[in-house]
Amino acid sequence: MTDWTREDLTLANCADEPIHIPGSIQPHGILLAFDPALTLAAWSANCGALLGCVPALGMAAAALRLPDPALELLSDIQADLHGGAAMPMAVEVTIGGQEYDCIIHAHEGRIVAEFEHRVQASDVVASFALKAHSAIERLKRQQSVEALLNIAVTQVRSLTGFDRVMAYRFRHDDSGDVVAEARSEALEPFLGRRYPASDIPAQARRLYLINTLRLIADVGYTPVPVFGRESDAALDMSHAVLRSVSPIHIEYLHNTGVAASMSISIVCNGRLWGMLACHHMRPHQVPYSIRMAADVFAQVLASTVQTLESRAEAGAIERGAELGSQLLETLSQEDDLMRALEQHAPALAAVLEADALIMTQHGDLRCHGEVGSELASQIVASVPDHAQALSQRNCLDDWPPALRAQVGKCVGMLVLSFDPASRGMLLALRREQIEAVRWAGPPDKVVATGPNGPRLTPRGSFAEWRETVRGRAEPWDATALTIAGQLLSKVSRFLAARNAEIERARMELMAMLGHDLRDPLQAINMAGALLERGSQSELIGRRIQSSSNRMERLIGHVLDMSRINGGIGLGLERRPTALDQLVRELVEETAAAHPASMFRTDIAEPVMAVVDSDRLVQVLSNLLSNARQHGDPAAPITVGLARAGDDALLTVRNHGPAIAPALAARLFDPFKHTSLNKSKNRGGVGLGLYIAQQIVLGHQGSMTYHHAEPEVVFTVRLPCAPPAATA
């Protein structure tokens, strides 16, 4: 006997119980075990009385007075052995005027024959086949898991005659909820109650997976011992229908007042998804063929559950993939990642089944849902730098102690770390799920002292026992984690590609700035040398001014780009401005500076708008410079201004061919290859249109390009009133 102290008694001890080798069977049948040569290796103590002979080790099967159908089936199983195993086969036999179901299987090199006494006539049992067929057809027509389980408990009760049939659905922690029930009116309902994971220890779960149906015909039975050669390993009865049951489980059933029990496993994708549990208040033996019909019914049920769940999972993953594609499309057009995530925040929260979102990168913090910015900052700070790309917290105990009092209801968090270098993260939050759990009795086993010393005992009461569970959120399931992983992968790959492109462009920019700044600096140095000699002062002054302006423009673009990338913004200062006057003055200045080009204005009426006039001049100057450099010098450049509802419409037109589609698609991107080292763009580094667009977007406007033969047209649309959010 194992020597356990009271401190040693845990659920692990319960899980160590060798229930697959009990050494005994239930008494409503006999068991014979043979070697592959069909010589007797083990037998139950009651088989001699039934067969009318004295069993002995090594006795041939033919000498045991077995019915001919049983001997034929033994030969079939012997011929069908593969690796010491064979699937169960059954046949009806008669022994001593009584009908028996003979069930034979092979496991671990032993051929096990069981003869189970049948209490119902063959013709009565046969009628249940039609019932089973009808039940399966009804099952196939259901379109939800809830409907499936409600049909299942009703049909299994009709097939088997049990007083109560319950459908369990196991949770992530292996506890089980009674989600459907069919019962006698005299019984107390168990629907909605939860049974703890400890009710089914690990080794019992293993047996439920490999032997999906188990019957205890009479809970008050006296086990029949199985004899065999002492030197042999104990007979493994994992697949036996008469296998005796753990004394702890028998005590459990006694405590519930149950006199007979049957369980049918619902196995989906190789895991114990749920169970149909049948109870009867009197001994109740269900014929083997009816049990097999119920088992087939449960297999169809499991297959249908798996199909429905797979369909729902595929739909959710497809919606997640579609959202990922939409997010990438937005990112390809939007330089601000936080702004892109914010646009899709409601959809992201939906596919991740989150109550709130926190988005952060480079210290920029955006929130969606009921979470304040101060709490969001503390939550972000609590995520370690070395956190996994995808990690979660599911209960209050998972949070740092200093933050537990602050998080409030949001105790669940899924972290998607898409750019660790910039602390770029998407945090999905879930509220605390306060549960009033209706346990079927207190869920913990207790230690009691019996004839064999202290041991764990099952629960002694199954009256409803309520417990309020706080501080926990529903964990993210496999489907949600798959969706999160796909989103994380897409955003991470996109950012890696963008960062690589920016780094390449930065290197090109540095090289080009070194080259482009060298020219004006040399011009200024030469002018200084000429000034020392005191000659051509007017020409030298113009050269110094031109070179200085070019350097200022280059440096200004780089500084603006740095402000945008750093999240500082361009610092717009809006004031009421007469746009018609601003446009006329700018066109006049540009025409005076470039007398070789032709400019004209097309202004129908005065237009007022609240804008940053200096920044708007920067936009128009860039468009005019581009039109002058790339347009037909013999044709005029036209600047138009008009009202369009509540908006002001600015257009810059020049004669020229359409921009190539490949370039047009990236026209407003920074560091365009086509802009770098271009002979017509010696004063720029490919940032002008990008910065101009950012200025327009900062006014909550838009900038577009199109070609209206024979003209290239850039259109700037600006709201005349100041944006309410940024006024």
Side-chain angles (χ1 to χ4, degrees), residues 234-551:
L235 181 65
D236 190 324
M237 299 187 196
S238 295
H239 297 275
V241 298
L242 294 171
R243 173 174 55 85
S244 196
V245 186
S246 161
I248 293 179
H249 186 67
I250 291 295
E251 186 176 347
Y252 174 96
L253 292 173
H254 272 302
N255 291 346
T256 67
V258 172
S261 164
M262 187 172 80
S263 61
I264 314 171
S265 305
I266 305 173
V267 180
C268 297
N269 292 315
R271 66 181 178 90
L272 192 60
W273 182 93
M275 181 179 292
L276 298 176
C278 310
H279 290 168
H280 209 66
M281 301 304 111
R282 298 171 306 284
H284 184 60
Q285 185 177 334
V286 180
Y288 179 75
S289 54
I290 296 176
R291 301 204 307 270
M292 291 305 97
D295 196 28
V296 170
F297 180 86
Q299 291 177 36
V300 175
L301 168 63
S303 176
T304 310
V305 165
Q306 192 168 312
T307 299
L308 290 174
E309 289 198 335
S310 296
R311 189 181 302 159
E313 179 181 352
I317 291 174
E318 184 178 351
R319 289 191 294 274
E322 184 179 348
L323 175 59
S325 299
Q326 293 171 358
L327 181 59
L328 288 185
E329 184 178 352
T330 303
L331 285 171
S332 66
Q333 301 169 0
E334 173 65 72
D335 292 295
D336 188 339
L337 173 62
M338 291 295 98
R339 195 155 54 204
L341 290 174
E342 205 168 25
Q343 289 178 33
H344 293 280
L348 286 167
V351 299
L352 295 175
E353 299 176 1
D355 299 306
L357 295 178
I358 301 172
M359 298 149 279
T360 182
Q361 189 183 33
H362 293 300
D364 186 7
L365 193 69
R366 312 284 177 96
C367 301
H368 170 78
E370 297 179 6
V371 56
S373 57
E374 183 177 347
L375 175 59
S377 297
Q378 293 177 308
I379 290 174
V380 169
S382 75
V383 179
D385 292 334
H386 58 275
Q388 294 180 349
L390 195 65
S391 60
Q392 58 178 309
R393 297 172 182 171
N394 295 319
C395 65
L396 207 55
D397 290 342
D398 293 339
W399 292 79
L403 200 55
R404 290 173 189 171
Q406 310 298 323
V407 295
K409 296 179 180 179
C410 294
V411 300
M413 179 172 71
L414 181 65
V415 179
L416 287 73
S417 179
F418 51 79
D419 189 18
S422 64
R423 293 278 290 171
M425 293 180 288
L426 173 64
L427 310 180
L429 303 177
R430 278 185 177 175
R431 293 194 192 97
E432 172 188 41
Q433 294 294 312
I434 301 176
E435 287 189 285
V437 181
R438 298 169 55 208
W439 293 105
D444 296 323
K445 287 182 169 67
V446 298
V447 175
T449 301
N452 296 321
R455 62 181 178 83
L456 279 175
T457 64
R459 290 172 288 126
S461 168
F462 291 82
E464 184 174 308
W465 188 80
R466 290 180 179 266
E467 178 188 19
T468 301
V469 179
R470 302 189 65 101
R472 301 193 69 86
E474 188 71 20
W476 274 267
D477 61 20
T479 302
L481 291 175
T482 297
I483 293 170
Q486 290 178 346
L487 288 170
L488 178 62
S489 177
K490 286 182 177 180
V491 174
S492 297
R493 286 201 306 268
F494 179 88
L495 287 179
R498 174 180 281 183
N499 289 340
E501 183 179 353
I502 289 174
E503 178 62 19
R504 174 196 53 74
R506 186 186 69 82
M507 297 300 292
E508 290 185 6
L509 173 62
M510 293 300 104
M512 195 167 51
L513 274 176
H515 178 272
D516 286 356
L517 286 174
R518 190 181 298 115
D519 287 348
L521 281 172
Q522 282 181 343
I524 292 172
N525 286 335
M526 289 174 63
L530 290 173
L531 280 175
E532 287 181 352
R533 293 197 292 267
S535 61
Q536 299 178 331
S537 58
E538 184 178 350
L539 175 61
I540 292 168
R542 287 200 301 269
R543 182 172 295 179
I544 289 174
Q545 185 177 13
S546 173
S547 298
S548 299
N549 288 341
R550 184 178 173 192
M551 290 176 65

Side-chain angles (χ1 to χ4, degrees), residues 46-59:
N46 59 350
C47 69
L50 177 64
L51 298 177
C53 66
V54 179
L57 284 170
M59 183 180 289

Side-chain angles (χ1 to χ4, degrees), residues 32 57 68 74 82 107 169 250 253 260 274 277 327 375 430 456 574 580 583 601 653 655 677:
L32 301 166
L57 284 170
D68 289 341
L74 275 171
H82 294 287
H107 181 60
R169 183 169 183 173
I250 291 295
L253 292 173
L327 181 59
L375 175 59
R430 278 185 177 175
L456 279 175
R574 300 180 181 86
D580 51 306
V583 169
T601 57
R653 301 170 175 267
H655 282 241
N677 296 318

